Amino acid sequence: MKCVVCKGPAIIDIRRHNANFCTDHFLEQCRRQVTKAIAEFSMIEPDDKVLVAVSGGKDSLAVWDLLVGLGYQADGLYIGLGIGDYSDVSGVYARDFATERGLRLIEVDLPETYGYDIPTGSRAARRAPCSACGLSKRHLFDRAALEGGYDVLVTGHNLDDEAAVLFGNTLHWHTEYLGRQLPVLPARDGFPRKVKPLVRLTERETAAYCVVRGIDYLVEECPMAAGNRHLTYKAALNDIEAASPGAKHSFYFGFLDRAAAHFAPEAEADRADLGACRTCGAPTTAEVCAFCRLVERAGGSVPEGRAPDAVSVDLGPTRSPSTAAGADPDEPASIGVGSDR
Amino acid sequence: MKCVVCKGPAIIDIRRHNANFCTDHFLEQCRRQVTKAIAEFSMIEPDDKVLVAVSGGKDSLAVWDLLVGLGYQADGLYIGLGIGDYSDVSGVYARDFATERGLRLIEVDLPETYGYDIPTGSRAARRAPCSACGLSKRHLFDRAALEGGYDVLVTGHNLDDEAAVLFGNTLHWHTEYLGRQLPVLPARDGFPRKVKPLVRLTERETAAYCVVRGIDYLVEECPMAAGNRHLTYKAALNDIEAASPGAKHSFYFGFLDRAAAHFAPEAEADRADLGACRTCGAPTTAEVCAFCRLVERAGGSVPEGRAPDAVSVDLGPTRSPSTAAGADPDEPASIGVGSDR
């Protein structure tokens, strides 16, 4: 197996590009794909102040590394979700990555600041864990980006993620979500600009990128996600990709090219009457935003003394009115989109 | 396992309806679903003269049986495709069904009338077999329906078929096909009205219907279809259906409810400049319709003396101008939609 660029020994084959790459040209390929995505969708300007949502997994650490390597000024944001050992370990990976590279990592601890963790909070609020988690993260991402004065919030969603979410939304014809499943959501109505620079890379490639770059990441999937529909959709798409390499890419980018605009009016209508949450000021279509409703039901569900010892940055008091961003309908859940409703 | 209606012993469970049925109430359920589909989409009027495209498989024989049982005046149409033993045997099932019930079966033999069979013709024309087959059948269905004075052409496409074709067209975002993937295509421009009364039944249910009704049908799948993408899509959807019963139904009917209309303008634009085929008079967007181009390239590809001994109804000379219906872009290929392009 030879590198398609230099004919040296290849370390990875990428079937949808019908190409093999050596170490150096694989890294170059990853950088080129990210550069291309950023340019194609006008994701980030050179002087933008960038905040990367970091979980400690391969995708978010890869995108942070890639952006820093491409010269962007990018800080990290880690949310402690209180999912037992999984969260404890994921935080270590995120902190170690930042410390070793002298990067700034903002931390928010959900149990400590809001009084619930995902396992107990989702039960208390009678929401699926992936739904409660996605909702909480989106709210805290938005809020941290706006309060920190960042121009853009970056997430590590890769092609597999986006294709699987699109697949779920298409299977259910959630037309209001289809209209805003885009690699860039412009800043508006109290939401920061949100971008996904990894949409041209698969999770196999982000994992290989981390290995090659010597980035330690948490390999385990979140234990709460086991059995959710998102994973069923990923498996179905993987079977199709195996039979027809490039199928995921053409599904996702074909959607962006030829179908997304058809659903834009429905996405727009869905947010037409966006107002400020009565409790926290975040944009919402309801009187009280979904995050505040979750906190209302789940807050205090963490047993005394269980909050971990994380170094957290206080983003302000819970449920006090503010102009900060909130949760609600700006973005479909990336995990467990089916169970969100 | 008890029948949901009468509490007698059930013979089948239908997970997406969360219901089990005894023999009698299963048959009633099938009739009700067909009646509902016909009414919901205004498929067939009581006095319509109906032509059912019959392959000898479970779906086409089931729909013919159901329509006759519901009181419609329905004849059958069998196309001999020259796919070796498969075609020979399928013709026997179709003929036996018609003979035993005193129904009229029109037969057209492709090798005898047009000088090619699917295996050799598709090679000669350098088309995938499923593509050449779908194209040939659509042309001959249209032509037979119009020349026979039928009001409506019925095909046996079931929910699994329609969901899988929709899936293929969605994976590729073939927006011009999405806009006309409907259970009813009205008569227009030299095409007869075409309807699919089985869209509310799965292939498991049509097979069970045949077994219960004592209908002998050809169980084997077409040998030429092995490995085509349509079967990959069916398998992927089956995995999703197993995890979420009802997923196929909501995918297909959700599309009809909430998405199909978005793509109607593209389907319309695709047929805007429909004219008459210079060779056969059938509607086409090209100068010569796709069927006549296929016959031009594939005709004469059957070795001498290989045409089977079928009793065929001559639908008129090949490639002489007529006002009959033709092939081309009225309907996406039901089999091998991916290989069609």
Side-chain angles (χ1 to χ4, degrees), chain A residues 166-167 170-175 229 232-233 236-237 239-240 243-244 247 250-252 254-255 258-259 262-263 266, chain B residues 166-167 170-175 229 232-233 236-237 239-240 243-244 247 250-252 254-255 258-259 262-263 266:
Chain A
L166 176 60
F167 190 32
T170 305
L171 275 178
H172 297 91
W173 296 102
H174 286 155
T175 53
R229 288 186 199 172
T232 309
Y233 302 151
L237 282 176
D239 291 343
I240 290 163
S244 306
S250 82
F251 176 51
Y252 179 65
F255 168 76
R258 298 189 296 280
H262 287 301
F263 301 105
E266 270 140 299
Chain B
L166 176 61
F167 189 31
T170 305
L171 275 178
H172 297 90
W173 296 101
H174 286 157
T175 52
R229 290 186 197 170
T232 310
Y233 303 150
L237 282 176
D239 291 344
I240 291 163
S244 306
S250 82
F251 176 51
Y252 179 65
F255 168 77
R258 297 189 296 282
H262 287 299
F263 300 105
E266 270 140 298

Side-chain angles (χ1 to χ4, degrees), chain B residues 172-298:
Chain B
H172 297 90
W173 296 101
H174 286 157
T175 52
E176 74 285 13
Y177 287 169
L178 287 171
R180 55 176 186 262
Q181 203 196 328
L182 305 171
V184 171
L185 293 174
R188 55 170 288 181
D189 299 332
F191 291 112
R193 185 185 347 139
K194 298 177 198 180
V195 306
K196 299 170 181 171
L198 297 187
V199 287
R200 299 184 62 87
L201 295 175
T202 64
E203 58 187 27
R204 178 166 167 267
E205 288 147 39
T206 60
Y209 177 87
C210 286
V211 170
V212 169
R213 288 278 296 160
I215 297 169
D216 280 335
Y217 63 89
L218 179 57
V219 174
E220 284 74 42
E221 294 284 337
C222 174
M224 318 246 23
N228 81 10
R229 290 186 197 170
H230 187 75
L231 297 180
T232 310
Y233 303 150
K234 277 200 167 176
L237 282 176
N238 284 344
D239 291 344
I240 291 163
E241 180 77 17
S244 306
K248 275 183 211 180
H249 180 100
S250 82
F251 176 51
Y252 179 65
F253 287 95
F255 168 77
L256 296 180
D257 281 348
R258 297 189 296 282
H262 287 299
F263 300 105
E266 270 140 298
E268 202 51 45
D270 200 42
R271 314 186 265 204
D273 46 358
L274 219 49
C277 170
R278 181 163 54 82
T279 307
C280 76
T284 176
T285 52
E287 199 180 336
V288 174
C289 79
F291 179 74
C292 286
R293 295 199 302 273
L294 177 63
V295 172
E296 175 72 37
R297 301 180 72 176

Side-chain angles (χ1 to χ4, degrees), chain B residues 95-117:
Chain B
R95 270 171 231 126
D96 285 354
F97 179 92
T99 306
E100 286 165 17
R101 286 157 184 81
L103 297 171
R104 180 172 183 231
L105 181 70
I106 299 171
E107 292 195 45
V108 180
D109 191 74
L110 194 63
E112 195 174 279
T113 313
Y114 295 93
Y116 69 97
D117 58 29

